[in-house]
Amino acid sequence: MRSDAIFQELQRVFGEASVRPQAICDGRDGIPAFWAPRDKAREMLRYLKTEAERPYRFLYDLTAIDERVRADRGGQLASDFTVVYHLLSFERNQDVRIKVALTGERPSLDTITDIWPSANWYEREVWDMFGVTFNGHPHLRRILMPPTWQGHPLRKDHPARATEMGPFRLPEEKEEFEQAAMQFRPEDWGLERGGEDTDFMFLNLGPQHPGTHGVLRLVLQLSGEEILDVVPDIGFHHRGAEKMGERQSWHTYIPYTDRVDYLGGVMNNLAYVLSVERLAGIEVPDRVKVIRVMMAEFFRLASHLVWYGTFAQDLGALSPVFYMFTDRERIFDIVEAVCGGRMHPSWFRIGGVAQDLPKGWNRLVGDFIPYLRRRLDEYDKMVMQNSIFKARTVGVGAYTLDEAIEWGVTGPGLRACGFEWDFRKMRPYSGYDLFEFDIPTAERGDCYDRALVRVAEGAQ
């Protein structure tokens, strides 16, 4: 389908004056982008999700831009802040962006949480970072910054460094205020403190806990040993990567992308350099594409091994995590031989890679692949076929495909519902079209099937 077809459809439904194409529409990324009036944006989004032919069911992203210091708007609408909705249609295999121009120091829009449940956290983040209020949001509060934080960090006038904010002081009254703000009050989250004949208990799991494998806090509402509700509290690992980018050059920002996912290594390097290359119109040689894919897939394997081992450990199998971390070290030996670094090599460059592959790389890779295949066969018997593992994962945490799309589930979590969708296949990038591979899927969408898909990805 041509990208201008959806533009014509929106103009027909909402009127030509209500839908304005962005001046740089169909630019470098080829995604159609349209400006919608503030008072019609919500209905336009609802139409795209529920009424358009081959609808845009997936809310892929929701963010904002501080436009106040922009010097050249390139024909775009005037605004102080722009809210950007990024939608995906699986049936069309096409994206669309809806942009809404807002003015003033206290901009606001109506919430779309009743259209997409996944908009809940997105809108909280936009309010937290940019100060855009979403009217009707069920729980609009900070999600990444502490509840007592002053200001909105991704506004351009917010300080980028601690040295710009004056010395830190913590007098006694401020300490008490901060401590009180961190206390969990069930009423703030719509939870009851008790039932007719019992008081509920609220238990903090995390933010530092061996079962979370990261800095995630879960507040559990308990009736005895039964979990009635869970409130996830994220943001403990938020380091302001976007704010750091404001003071970096295109090239010096590359090492920061390593740290977006500390298990991903070059994975986020790849997403970043591909975006910059697309903006700059840079086409890299096929050799670069193949090298990048090889290193990205090595890190996918390394990350999956960490998940595989710790998942088995959490369910009572202690041995696999030791074996799998040993295999991960063998991957890092190859990564170190190629890149010079292990977990954070910062080796990809805009336009290519830091240097060519070293002598002997093919022997290292050729020895490792059959070794890992044998090990994965052993792990399948040790973990996936284990009756205790199955008893604790089959039928647990299941969701349907429709629920997954509503809540913004991607990757193996989406494929575990039987949906054969992988961007490496549907929209090949960086030379993935040069390789033959399958898209593993499962059916039940439960814990076991989500594990099954990841294991199958590693075995290809």
Side-chain angles (χ1 to χ4, degrees):
M1 166 155 315
R2 292 177 54 192
S3 60
D4 60 356
I6 188 62
F7 169 61
Q8 295 171 0
E9 182 177 347
L10 290 174
Q11 281 198 327
R12 175 178 55 80
V13 174
F14 293 94
E16 294 186 7
S18 295
V19 188
R20 173 175 171 174
Q22 185 168 320
I24 55 173
C25 176
D26 286 330
R28 295 295 186 186
D29 63 4
I31 297 176
F34 314 111
W35 293 86
R38 179 177 177 275
D39 59 344
K40 291 189 177 181
R42 175 183 160 85
E43 289 310 308
M44 194 176 296
L45 292 164
R46 184 189 295 277
Y47 173 84
L48 288 168
K49 183 194 176 185
T50 62
E51 299 180 40
E53 181 184 359
R54 292 184 290 174
Y56 295 80
R57 295 179 59 199
F58 199 89
L59 177 63
Y60 202 77
D61 197 11
L62 195 173
T63 188
I65 307 168
D66 184 349
E67 308 269 19
R68 293 173 298 174
V69 296
R70 184 189 290 271
D72 181 7
R73 297 197 56 82
Q76 301 182 58
L77 293 182
S79 66
D80 293 322
F81 296 90
T82 300
V83 173
V84 184
Y85 301 89
H86 189 131
L87 312 182
L88 167 62
S89 169
F90 293 114
E91 292 84 355
R92 302 178 189 227
N93 191 13
Q94 184 188 74
D95 299 351
V96 67
R97 290 195 188 104
I98 300 297
K99 307 181 74 172
V100 183
L102 302 175
T103 57
E105 281 294 307
R106 299 181 181 275
S108 66
L109 268 175
D110 290 336
T111 183
I112 59 167
T113 52
D114 57 328
I115 303 175
W116 280 282
S118 58
N120 190 308
W121 279 15
Y122 282 131
E123 291 182 351
R124 283 179 61 190
E125 182 183 11
V126 172
W127 178 81
D128 193 0
M129 296 289 109
F130 292 94
V132 177
T133 299
F134 291 90
N135 305 316
H137 188 284
H139 195 72
L140 195 63
R141 57 176 290 162
R142 293 197 184 273
I143 188 171
L144 298 177
M145 304 305 293
T148 57
W149 192 267
Q150 299 297 312
H152 303 282
L154 289 187
R155 289 192 173 194
K156 298 299 184 184
D157 52 4
H158 193 281
R161 296 176 181 269
T163 52
E164 300 170 7
M165 303 173 71
F168 176 76
R169 293 185 174 86
L170 189 62
E172 184 176 350
E173 62 272 15
K174 182 179 180 183
E175 182 179 4
E176 293 175 356
F177 176 72
E178 296 285 348
Q179 293 284 359
M182 291 300 296
Q183 292 180 4
F184 182 79
R185 287 177 286 273
E187 299 82 2
D188 294 345
W189 297 85
L191 301 178
E192 299 289 339
R193 288 187 177 268
E196 292 183 1
D197 55 356
T198 184
D199 291 334
F200 299 143
M201 181 170 69
F202 294 89
L203 176 68
N204 275 297
L205 180 66
Q208 297 288 355
H209 188 281
T212 61
H213 306 292
V215 278
L216 167 69
R217 176 195 185 204
L218 299 172
V219 183
L220 309 180
Q221 183 189 42
L222 304 175
S223 177
E225 294 185 352
E226 180 184 0
I227 299 175
L228 301 180
D229 209 336
V230 179
V231 175
D233 187 10
I234 66 173
F236 294 93
H237 202 48
H238 176 67
R239 290 171 290 181
E242 303 93 337
K243 197 67 177 179
M244 295 175 188
E246 293 181 5
R247 62 175 188 263
Q248 299 295 326
S249 70
W250 295 102
H251 181 73
T252 59
Y253 189 66
I254 293 174
Y256 291 91
T257 63
D258 282 23
R259 279 77 180 173
V260 173
D261 173 8
Y262 77 97
L263 296 178
V266 301
M267 298 292 280
N268 286 296
N269 295 162
L270 180 60
Y272 174 71
V273 297
L274 286 176
S275 299
V276 177
E277 287 164 0
R278 181 171 290 183
L279 287 170
I282 297 171
E283 179 67 26
V284 302
D286 285 346
R287 183 175 180 84
V288 168
K289 295 177 181 178
V290 172
I291 291 173
R292 285 176 172 178
V293 166
M294 180 177 71
M295 300 312 298
E297 292 303 317
F298 268 129
F299 270 99
R300 188 190 306 275
L301 282 171
S303 178
H304 277 16
L305 284 171
V306 173
W307 156 80
Y308 205 171
T310 54
F311 188 26
Q313 175 187 331
D314 289 344
L315 295 176
L318 187 59
S319 298
V321 71
F322 294 105
Y323 298 137
M324 294 176 189
F325 268 67
T326 299
D327 293 342
R328 176 173 175 251
E329 284 301 307
R330 292 184 64 131
I331 292 176
F332 282 160
D333 288 342
I334 299 174
V335 172
E336 186 176 23
V338 173
C339 305
R342 293 166 68 84
M343 286 188 67
H344 302 295
S346 297
W347 190 68
F348 288 2
R349 297 290 184 270
I350 299 168
V353 292
Q355 60 265 332
D356 203 351
L357 295 171
K359 292 181 180 179
W361 72 270
N362 51 339
R363 177 180 55 81
L364 292 173
V365 174
D367 291 344
F368 176 75
I369 291 176
Y371 162 82
L372 185 63
R373 289 192 188 280
R374 293 192 300 270
R375 299 283 279 192
L376 290 175
D377 288 341
E378 294 179 25
Y379 300 152
D380 187 71
K381 298 173 185 176
M382 187 186 306
V383 180
M384 300 302 293
Q385 303 308 319
N386 185 290
S387 59
I388 298 176
F389 183 88
K390 285 186 174 181
R392 294 177 176 178
T393 55
V394 173
V396 175
Y399 48 72
T400 67
L401 176 59
D402 286 339
E403 288 172 332
I405 292 173
E406 285 293 290
W407 285 100
V409 176
T410 61
L414 189 60
R415 293 190 283 275
C417 300
F419 191 24
E420 192 173 308
W421 181 276
D422 189 323
F423 273 102
R424 295 173 297 172
K425 279 280 192 180
M426 304 304 294
R427 302 180 189 176
Y429 56 89
S430 191
Y432 270 106
D433 53 314
L434 303 174
F435 300 89
E436 292 185 9
F437 61 96
D438 298 323
I439 303 177
T441 61
E443 295 298 330
R444 294 185 299 262
D446 59 8
C447 286
Y448 188 83
D449 278 6
R450 291 193 288 274
L452 198 66
V453 169
R454 286 176 168 86
V455 171
E457 284 184 353
Q460 290 200 53

